Amino acid sequence: MSLPEIVSRAEWRAARAELLDKENAVTRALDALRAERRRLPMVPVDREYVFEGGDGKATLLDLFQGRQQLVVHHFVFEPEWETGCRCCSAFLDQIGHLAHLHARRTTFAAVSRAPFTRILPFKARMGWTVPWYSSDAGDFDADFGADFGVVSERDGTAEGGELPARPGVSCFLRDGDRVFHTYSAHGRGLEGLGSTTNLLDLTALGRQEPWEEPRGRAHALGAPATPEHPRYHDEYDD
């Protein structure tokens, strides 16, 4: 096995400084890409979807829990399976405390096609507390690109895969009682996600910081002009 080269501290600092310049360039490029993502148009969701959760039947609007944004994890868990997808489970393990998302008026929830009666025991086994709903084998995953057999994320044509569905994340924005689809990512698009900031970076309102482009959007929709710094998760007023 080839290990990194052994050098002096001065040589390491020089190499680190060179790499830091490249890392800073990537950070600036990512900031520009995220701003472009926030400028994506949105699509009204006019179709009625019915989910089942801990409180019974729910609509897509109900999944927002009164907040302005919703991030849905398309968790692959087929109706006939006893346990969920291992890759989806590893992803859900990385989701941090939801209070930090809630402080930015954003709800996170998982949705699967398995019946809620199968989701519950697996959720308890994994020790997860995130909201998790059954789409009752409906078309929700397929309509937002999380079904290999329906559409490609790029051009809407049919494509195939080894599994009946694929993991994904979809973002929605609420304006009153109207719901809009703003973004979806699948497959490798989920790599690096899990932190509060990375999930917010997928949404139309972003991190809701004053420096983000387009300027003033989040503030115009009710976000504080100067967002508060993160608190301990038990100190937020939800």
Side-chain angles (χ1 to χ4, degrees):
M1 182 176 65
S2 177
L3 296 176
E5 181 184 1
I6 299 174
V7 297
S8 68
R9 176 60 64 180
E11 291 172 308
W12 181 88
R13 285 198 183 101
R16 178 68 188 97
E18 184 178 347
L19 181 61
L20 181 60
D21 289 338
K22 297 177 181 178
E23 290 174 340
N24 287 338
V26 170
T27 298
R28 290 190 290 271
L30 284 174
D31 283 342
L33 179 65
R34 289 161 183 155
E36 189 172 349
R37 182 187 294 132
R38 290 189 292 273
R39 291 189 179 97
L40 276 174
M42 61 185 183
V43 181
V45 180
D46 296 324
R47 186 170 181 178
E48 291 291 334
Y49 298 99
V50 179
F51 307 91
E52 184 178 0
D55 295 325
K57 299 295 183 181
T59 65
L60 184 59
L61 184 62
D62 292 331
L63 268 57
F64 281 75
Q65 298 180 346
R67 301 183 183 92
Q68 195 160 24
Q69 296 194 121
L70 171 66
V71 178
V72 170
H73 176 208
H74 300 280
F75 191 115
V76 180
F77 193 162
E78 293 302 297
E80 67 275 13
W81 294 1
E82 296 294 334
T83 56
C85 163
R86 285 181 169 84
C87 290
C88 295
S89 299
F91 176 83
L92 208 55
D93 277 336
Q94 300 174 69
I95 300 299
H97 201 288
L98 297 184
H100 301 293
L101 280 174
H102 295 171
R104 293 296 188 268
R105 303 174 303 150
T106 302
T107 297
F108 179 91
V111 170
S112 298
R113 298 197 290 193
F116 192 65
T117 52
R118 293 203 177 190
I119 290 174
L120 270 179
F122 184 62
K123 180 181 179 181
R125 170 187 165 184
M126 294 292 100
W128 294 323
T129 58
V130 300
W132 196 349
Y133 301 86
S134 168
S135 59
D136 196 24
D139 295 329
F140 179 75
D141 284 330
D143 286 351
F144 296 99
D147 190 322
F148 275 121
V150 180
V151 295
S152 162
E153 188 174 10
R154 181 175 297 276
D155 58 14
T157 59
E159 60 179 26
E162 295 180 0
L163 292 174
R166 60 180 174 178
V169 167
S170 290
C171 301
F172 302 90
L173 179 68
R174 180 174 68 87
D175 183 13
D177 289 339
R178 297 196 70 193
V179 175
F180 299 88
H181 175 226
T182 60
Y183 184 75
S184 285
H186 307 90
R188 294 199 63 184
L190 275 64
E191 291 181 2
L193 298 181
S195 71
T196 297
T197 51
N198 284 340
L199 289 174
L200 288 172
D201 283 337
L202 302 182
T203 68
L205 301 186
R207 304 180 192 185
Q208 301 169 40
E209 299 285 350
W211 55 267
E212 287 183 305
E213 298 289 348
R215 297 290 180 94
R217 170 186 286 176
H219 177 51
L221 292 176
T226 304
E228 64 178 342
H229 294 295
R231 302 184 188 183
Y232 296 116
H233 66 247
D234 61 354
E235 291 182 347
Y236 286 112
D237 297 322
D238 187 14

Short mmCIF file of all heavy atoms in Angstrom, two decimals, residues 44-89:
data_model
loop_
_atom_site.label_atom_id
_atom_site.label_comp_id
_atom_site.label_asym_id
_atom_site.label_seq_id
_atom_site.Cartn_x
_atom_site.Cartn_y
_atom_site.Cartn_z
N PRO A 44 -46.05 24.13 -9.84
CA PRO A 44 -47.14 23.88 -8.89
C PRO A 44 -47.46 22.39 -8.81
O PRO A 44 -47.46 21.69 -9.83
CB PRO A 44 -48.31 24.67 -9.47
CG PRO A 44 -47.98 24.90 -10.90
CD PRO A 44 -46.49 24.94 -11.00
N VAL A 45 -47.70 21.93 -7.60
CA VAL A 45 -48.10 20.53 -7.39
C VAL A 45 -49.62 20.53 -7.24
O VAL A 45 -50.16 20.85 -6.18
CB VAL A 45 -47.42 19.94 -6.14
CG1 VAL A 45 -47.85 18.48 -5.94
CG2 VAL A 45 -45.91 20.04 -6.24
N ASP A 46 -50.29 20.18 -8.31
CA ASP A 46 -51.76 20.21 -8.32
C ASP A 46 -52.37 18.84 -8.03
O ASP A 46 -53.57 18.74 -7.75
CB ASP A 46 -52.27 20.72 -9.67
CG ASP A 46 -51.85 22.17 -9.92
OD1 ASP A 46 -51.82 22.94 -8.94
OD2 ASP A 46 -51.53 22.50 -11.07
N ARG A 47 -51.56 17.80 -8.10
CA ARG A 47 -52.07 16.46 -7.85
C ARG A 47 -52.22 16.21 -6.36
O ARG A 47 -51.39 16.66 -5.56
CB ARG A 47 -51.15 15.42 -8.47
CG ARG A 47 -51.67 14.00 -8.39
CD ARG A 47 -50.83 13.05 -9.20
NE ARG A 47 -51.34 11.70 -9.14
CZ ARG A 47 -50.82 10.67 -9.78
NH1 ARG A 47 -49.76 10.85 -10.56
NH2 ARG A 47 -51.33 9.48 -9.67
N GLU A 48 -53.26 15.50 -5.98
CA GLU A 48 -53.49 15.17 -4.58
C GLU A 48 -52.75 13.87 -4.23
O GLU A 48 -52.97 12.84 -4.87
CB GLU A 48 -54.98 15.01 -4.30
CG GLU A 48 -55.78 16.30 -4.37
CD GLU A 48 -55.44 17.26 -3.24
OE1 GLU A 48 -55.00 16.79 -2.17
OE2 GLU A 48 -55.59 18.48 -3.44
N TYR A 49 -51.88 13.94 -3.24
CA TYR A 49 -51.19 12.75 -2.75
C TYR A 49 -51.68 12.46 -1.34
O TYR A 49 -51.88 13.38 -0.54
CB TYR A 49 -49.68 12.96 -2.73
CG TYR A 49 -49.08 13.21 -4.10
CD1 TYR A 49 -48.79 14.52 -4.52
CD2 TYR A 49 -48.81 12.16 -4.97
CE1 TYR A 49 -48.24 14.75 -5.77
CE2 TYR A 49 -48.27 12.39 -6.23
CZ TYR A 49 -47.99 13.68 -6.62
OH TYR A 49 -47.46 13.92 -7.86
N VAL A 50 -51.85 11.19 -1.03
CA VAL A 50 -52.30 10.78 0.30
C VAL A 50 -51.21 9.91 0.93
O VAL A 50 -50.76 8.93 0.32
CB VAL A 50 -53.63 10.01 0.23
CG1 VAL A 50 -54.04 9.58 1.64
CG2 VAL A 50 -54.72 10.88 -0.40
N PHE A 51 -50.80 10.28 2.12
CA PHE A 51 -49.78 9.55 2.88
C PHE A 51 -50.39 9.05 4.18
O PHE A 51 -51.44 9.53 4.62
CB PHE A 51 -48.59 10.47 3.19
CG PHE A 51 -48.00 11.16 1.99
CD1 PHE A 51 -48.47 12.41 1.60
CD2 PHE A 51 -46.99 10.58 1.26
CE1 PHE A 51 -47.94 13.05 0.49
CE2 PHE A 51 -46.45 11.21 0.15
CZ PHE A 51 -46.93 12.45 -0.23
N GLU A 52 -49.70 8.09 4.78
CA GLU A 52 -50.11 7.63 6.11
C GLU A 52 -48.94 7.78 7.05
O GLU A 52 -47.82 7.33 6.76
CB GLU A 52 -50.57 6.17 6.08
CG GLU A 52 -51.09 5.72 7.44
CD GLU A 52 -51.61 4.28 7.44
OE1 GLU A 52 -51.57 3.64 6.37
OE2 GLU A 52 -52.04 3.82 8.52
N GLY A 53 -49.18 8.43 8.19
CA GLY A 53 -48.15 8.62 9.19
C GLY A 53 -48.67 8.31 10.58
O GLY A 53 -49.70 7.66 10.74
N GLY A 54 -47.95 8.80 11.57
CA GLY A 54 -48.32 8.50 12.94
C GLY A 54 -49.66 9.05 13.35
O GLY A 54 -50.31 8.54 14.27
N ASP A 55 -50.11 10.10 12.66
CA ASP A 55 -51.41 10.70 12.98
C ASP A 55 -52.49 10.34 11.97
O ASP A 55 -53.52 11.01 11.89
CB ASP A 55 -51.27 12.23 13.05
CG ASP A 55 -50.36 12.67 14.19
OD1 ASP A 55 -50.38 12.01 15.24
OD2 ASP A 55 -49.63 13.66 14.02
N GLY A 56 -52.24 9.30 11.19
CA GLY A 56 -53.23 8.85 10.21
C GLY A 56 -52.95 9.41 8.84
O GLY A 56 -51.80 9.65 8.46
N LYS A 57 -54.00 9.65 8.07
CA LYS A 57 -53.86 10.12 6.70
C LYS A 57 -53.35 11.56 6.68
O LYS A 57 -53.68 12.38 7.54
CB LYS A 57 -55.19 10.04 5.95
CG LYS A 57 -55.76 8.63 5.84
CD LYS A 57 -54.87 7.73 4.99
CE LYS A 57 -55.49 6.34 4.82
NZ LYS A 57 -54.61 5.44 4.03
N ALA A 58 -52.54 11.87 5.65
CA ALA A 58 -51.97 13.21 5.54
C ALA A 58 -51.83 13.56 4.06
O ALA A 58 -51.62 12.69 3.22
CB ALA A 58 -50.62 13.28 6.23
N THR A 59 -51.93 14.85 3.75
CA THR A 59 -51.68 15.35 2.42
C THR A 59 -50.24 15.86 2.34
O THR A 59 -49.54 15.97 3.35
CB THR A 59 -52.63 16.50 2.07
OG1 THR A 59 -52.34 17.62 2.96
CG2 THR A 59 -54.09 16.08 2.26
N LEU A 60 -49.81 16.21 1.14
CA LEU A 60 -48.46 16.79 1.00
C LEU A 60 -48.36 18.08 1.78
O LEU A 60 -47.33 18.36 2.41
CB LEU A 60 -48.15 17.02 -0.49
CG LEU A 60 -46.75 17.53 -0.81
CD1 LEU A 60 -45.68 16.56 -0.32
CD2 LEU A 60 -46.60 17.76 -2.31
N LEU A 61 -49.42 18.87 1.79
CA LEU A 61 -49.42 20.10 2.57
C LEU A 61 -49.26 19.81 4.06
O LEU A 61 -48.57 20.54 4.78
CB LEU A 61 -50.71 20.89 2.32
CG LEU A 61 -50.82 22.26 2.99
CD1 LEU A 61 -49.75 23.20 2.49
CD2 LEU A 61 -52.21 22.85 2.74
N ASP A 62 -49.87 18.73 4.53
CA ASP A 62 -49.74 18.35 5.95
C ASP A 62 -48.30 18.04 6.31
O ASP A 62 -47.87 18.27 7.45
CB ASP A 62 -50.61 17.13 6.26
CG ASP A 62 -52.10 17.42 6.18
OD1 ASP A 62 -52.50 18.59 6.43
OD2 ASP A 62 -52.87 16.50 5.84
N LEU A 63 -47.54 17.49 5.36
CA LEU A 63 -46.16 17.10 5.64
C LEU A 63 -45.28 18.30 5.99
O LEU A 63 -44.24 18.15 6.63
CB LEU A 63 -45.56 16.34 4.45
CG LEU A 63 -45.69 14.81 4.46
CD1 LEU A 63 -47.13 14.37 4.57
CD2 LEU A 63 -45.02 14.21 3.23
N PHE A 64 -45.69 19.50 5.57
CA PHE A 64 -44.93 20.71 5.91
C PHE A 64 -44.97 21.01 7.41
O PHE A 64 -44.12 21.73 7.91
CB PHE A 64 -45.50 21.92 5.17
CG PHE A 64 -45.09 22.04 3.73
CD1 PHE A 64 -45.65 21.21 2.76
CD2 PHE A 64 -44.15 22.98 3.33
CE1 PHE A 64 -45.29 21.33 1.43
CE2 PHE A 64 -43.78 23.11 2.00
CZ PHE A 64 -44.35 22.27 1.04
N GLN A 65 -45.99 20.51 8.10
CA GLN A 65 -46.17 20.77 9.53
C GLN A 65 -46.22 22.27 9.82
O GLN A 65 -45.75 22.74 10.86
CB GLN A 65 -45.07 20.09 10.35
CG GLN A 65 -45.07 18.57 10.24
CD GLN A 65 -43.97 17.91 11.04
OE1 GLN A 65 -43.03 18.57 11.50
NE2 GLN A 65 -44.08 16.62 11.23
N GLY A 66 -46.79 23.03 8.88
CA GLY A 66 -46.96 24.46 9.08
C GLY A 66 -45.76 25.30 8.69
O GLY A 66 -45.85 26.54 8.73
N ARG A 67 -44.65 24.67 8.31
CA ARG A 67 -43.46 25.44 7.93
C ARG A 67 -43.52 25.79 6.44
O ARG A 67 -44.36 25.32 5.72
CB ARG A 67 -42.20 24.67 8.29
CG ARG A 67 -42.12 24.35 9.79
CD ARG A 67 -40.84 23.66 10.18
NE ARG A 67 -40.89 23.34 11.61
CZ ARG A 67 -41.32 22.18 12.10
NH1 ARG A 67 -41.72 21.21 11.26
NH2 ARG A 67 -41.37 21.97 13.39
N GLN A 68 -42.57 26.59 6.00
CA GLN A 68 -42.63 27.11 4.63
C GLN A 68 -41.99 26.18 3.61
O GLN A 68 -42.36 26.20 2.43
CB GLN A 68 -41.96 28.48 4.56
CG GLN A 68 -42.29 29.23 3.28
CD GLN A 68 -42.06 30.72 3.44
OE1 GLN A 68 -41.29 31.15 4.28
NE2 GLN A 68 -42.73 31.51 2.62
N GLN A 69 -41.03 25.38 4.03
CA GLN A 69 -40.35 24.49 3.10
C GLN A 69 -40.41 23.05 3.60
O GLN A 69 -40.55 22.80 4.80
CB GLN A 69 -38.88 24.90 2.93
CG GLN A 69 -38.70 26.26 2.30
CD GLN A 69 -37.27 26.48 1.84
OE1 GLN A 69 -37.00 26.72 0.68
NE2 GLN A 69 -36.33 26.38 2.77
N LEU A 70 -40.26 22.13 2.65
CA LEU A 70 -40.29 20.70 2.96
C LEU A 70 -39.22 20.01 2.14
O LEU A 70 -39.14 20.19 0.92
CB LEU A 70 -41.67 20.11 2.63
CG LEU A 70 -41.80 18.59 2.69
CD1 LEU A 70 -41.64 18.08 4.12
CD2 LEU A 70 -43.14 18.15 2.10
N VAL A 71 -38.37 19.23 2.81
CA VAL A 71 -37.39 18.38 2.15
C VAL A 71 -37.80 16.94 2.38
O VAL A 71 -37.91 16.49 3.53
CB VAL A 71 -35.96 18.62 2.70
CG1 VAL A 71 -34.97 17.67 2.03
CG2 VAL A 71 -35.54 20.07 2.50
N VAL A 72 -38.07 16.22 1.31
CA VAL A 72 -38.52 14.83 1.40
C VAL A 72 -37.40 13.90 0.98
O VAL A 72 -36.79 14.09 -0.09
CB VAL A 72 -39.75 14.58 0.50
CG1 VAL A 72 -40.05 13.09 0.39
CG2 VAL A 72 -40.96 15.32 1.05
N HIS A 73 -37.11 12.92 1.81
CA HIS A 73 -36.18 11.86 1.44
C HIS A 73 -36.99 10.69 0.87
O HIS A 73 -37.82 10.10 1.57
CB HIS A 73 -35.40 11.39 2.69
CG HIS A 73 -34.48 10.24 2.42
ND1 HIS A 73 -34.14 9.32 3.40
CD2 HIS A 73 -33.84 9.84 1.29
CE1 HIS A 73 -33.33 8.42 2.88
NE2 HIS A 73 -33.14 8.71 1.61
N HIS A 74 -36.78 10.39 -0.41
CA HIS A 74 -37.41 9.23 -1.03
C HIS A 74 -36.65 7.98 -0.57
O HIS A 74 -35.63 7.61 -1.15
CB HIS A 74 -37.38 9.34 -2.55
CG HIS A 74 -38.09 10.54 -3.08
ND1 HIS A 74 -39.46 10.58 -3.24
CD2 HIS A 74 -37.63 11.75 -3.52
CE1 HIS A 74 -39.82 11.75 -3.74
NE2 HIS A 74 -38.72 12.47 -3.91
N PHE A 75 -37.13 7.38 0.50
CA PHE A 75 -36.48 6.23 1.13
C PHE A 75 -36.99 4.96 0.45
O PHE A 75 -38.18 4.66 0.50
CB PHE A 75 -36.81 6.22 2.63
CG PHE A 75 -35.99 5.24 3.44
CD1 PHE A 75 -35.11 5.70 4.40
CD2 PHE A 75 -36.13 3.87 3.27
CE1 PHE A 75 -34.37 4.82 5.17
CE2 PHE A 75 -35.39 2.98 4.02
CZ PHE A 75 -34.50 3.45 4.98
N VAL A 76 -36.09 4.19 -0.17
CA VAL A 76 -36.50 2.99 -0.89
C VAL A 76 -36.85 1.89 0.11
O VAL A 76 -35.99 1.36 0.82
CB VAL A 76 -35.39 2.51 -1.85
CG1 VAL A 76 -35.86 1.26 -2.60
CG2 VAL A 76 -35.03 3.61 -2.84
N PHE A 77 -38.14 1.60 0.17
CA PHE A 77 -38.66 0.55 1.07
C PHE A 77 -39.90 0.04 0.37
O PHE A 77 -40.97 0.63 0.45
CB PHE A 77 -38.97 1.17 2.43
CG PHE A 77 -39.21 0.18 3.55
CD1 PHE A 77 -39.13 0.58 4.87
CD2 PHE A 77 -39.53 -1.16 3.30
CE1 PHE A 77 -39.36 -0.30 5.92
CE2 PHE A 77 -39.76 -2.05 4.33
CZ PHE A 77 -39.67 -1.62 5.64
N GLU A 78 -39.76 -1.07 -0.35
CA GLU A 78 -40.85 -1.58 -1.16
C GLU A 78 -41.93 -2.25 -0.30
O GLU A 78 -41.64 -2.73 0.80
CB GLU A 78 -40.32 -2.57 -2.20
CG GLU A 78 -39.44 -1.91 -3.26
CD GLU A 78 -40.17 -0.80 -4.00
OE1 GLU A 78 -41.18 -1.09 -4.67
OE2 GLU A 78 -39.75 0.37 -3.88
N PRO A 79 -43.16 -2.30 -0.79
CA PRO A 79 -44.27 -2.83 0.02
C PRO A 79 -44.06 -4.25 0.52
O PRO A 79 -44.54 -4.60 1.60
CB PRO A 79 -45.47 -2.76 -0.94
CG PRO A 79 -45.12 -1.65 -1.87
CD PRO A 79 -43.64 -1.72 -2.06
N GLU A 80 -43.32 -5.07 -0.24
CA GLU A 80 -43.14 -6.47 0.16
C GLU A 80 -41.90 -6.69 1.02
O GLU A 80 -41.67 -7.79 1.51
CB GLU A 80 -43.07 -7.36 -1.08
CG GLU A 80 -41.85 -7.16 -1.96
CD GLU A 80 -42.01 -6.03 -2.97
OE1 GLU A 80 -42.98 -5.24 -2.83
OE2 GLU A 80 -41.17 -5.94 -3.89
N TRP A 81 -41.08 -5.65 1.22
CA TRP A 81 -39.85 -5.80 2.00
C TRP A 81 -40.16 -5.75 3.49
O TRP A 81 -41.11 -5.11 3.94
CB TRP A 81 -38.86 -4.70 1.66
CG TRP A 81 -38.32 -4.74 0.27
CD1 TRP A 81 -38.62 -5.64 -0.72
CD2 TRP A 81 -37.38 -3.82 -0.30
NE1 TRP A 81 -37.94 -5.34 -1.86
CE2 TRP A 81 -37.16 -4.23 -1.65
CE3 TRP A 81 -36.71 -2.70 0.18
CZ2 TRP A 81 -36.30 -3.56 -2.50
CZ3 TRP A 81 -35.85 -2.02 -0.67
CH2 TRP A 81 -35.64 -2.45 -1.99
N GLU A 82 -39.29 -6.40 4.28
CA GLU A 82 -39.39 -6.34 5.73
C GLU A 82 -38.54 -5.21 6.31
O GLU A 82 -38.82 -4.71 7.41
CB GLU A 82 -38.96 -7.68 6.35
CG GLU A 82 -39.86 -8.86 5.98
CD GLU A 82 -41.27 -8.73 6.54
OE1 GLU A 82 -41.43 -8.04 7.59
OE2 GLU A 82 -42.20 -9.28 5.94
N THR A 83 -37.47 -4.84 5.62
CA THR A 83 -36.58 -3.77 6.06
C THR A 83 -36.29 -2.85 4.89
O THR A 83 -36.47 -3.21 3.72
CB THR A 83 -35.25 -4.33 6.61
OG1 THR A 83 -34.64 -5.16 5.61
CG2 THR A 83 -35.49 -5.16 7.87
N GLY A 84 -35.82 -1.65 5.20
CA GLY A 84 -35.55 -0.66 4.18
C GLY A 84 -34.19 -0.81 3.53
O GLY A 84 -33.33 -1.59 3.99
N CYS A 85 -33.98 -0.06 2.46
CA CYS A 85 -32.73 -0.04 1.71
C CYS A 85 -31.56 0.32 2.64
O CYS A 85 -31.66 1.24 3.46
CB CYS A 85 -32.86 0.97 0.59
SG CYS A 85 -31.33 1.50 -0.17
N ARG A 86 -30.45 -0.39 2.51
CA ARG A 86 -29.28 -0.13 3.36
C ARG A 86 -28.65 1.22 3.05
O ARG A 86 -28.22 1.93 3.97
CB ARG A 86 -28.26 -1.25 3.20
CG ARG A 86 -28.66 -2.55 3.90
CD ARG A 86 -27.59 -3.63 3.73
NE ARG A 86 -27.85 -4.76 4.61
CZ ARG A 86 -28.68 -5.75 4.32
NH1 ARG A 86 -29.34 -5.74 3.17
NH2 ARG A 86 -28.86 -6.76 5.16
N CYS A 87 -28.58 1.58 1.78
CA CYS A 87 -28.00 2.89 1.43
C CYS A 87 -28.86 4.03 1.96
O CYS A 87 -28.35 5.03 2.48
CB CYS A 87 -27.84 3.00 -0.08
SG CYS A 87 -26.56 1.93 -0.76
N CYS A 88 -30.19 3.88 1.84
CA CYS A 88 -31.09 4.90 2.38
C CYS A 88 -30.96 4.99 3.89
O CYS A 88 -31.03 6.08 4.47
CB CYS A 88 -32.54 4.58 2.00
SG CYS A 88 -32.88 4.65 0.24
N SER A 89 -30.76 3.85 4.53
CA SER A 89 -30.61 3.83 5.98
C SER A 89 -29.34 4.55 6.40
O SER A 89 -29.33 5.31 7.38
CB SER A 89 -30.61 2.39 6.49
OG SER A 89 -31.82 1.74 6.18
#
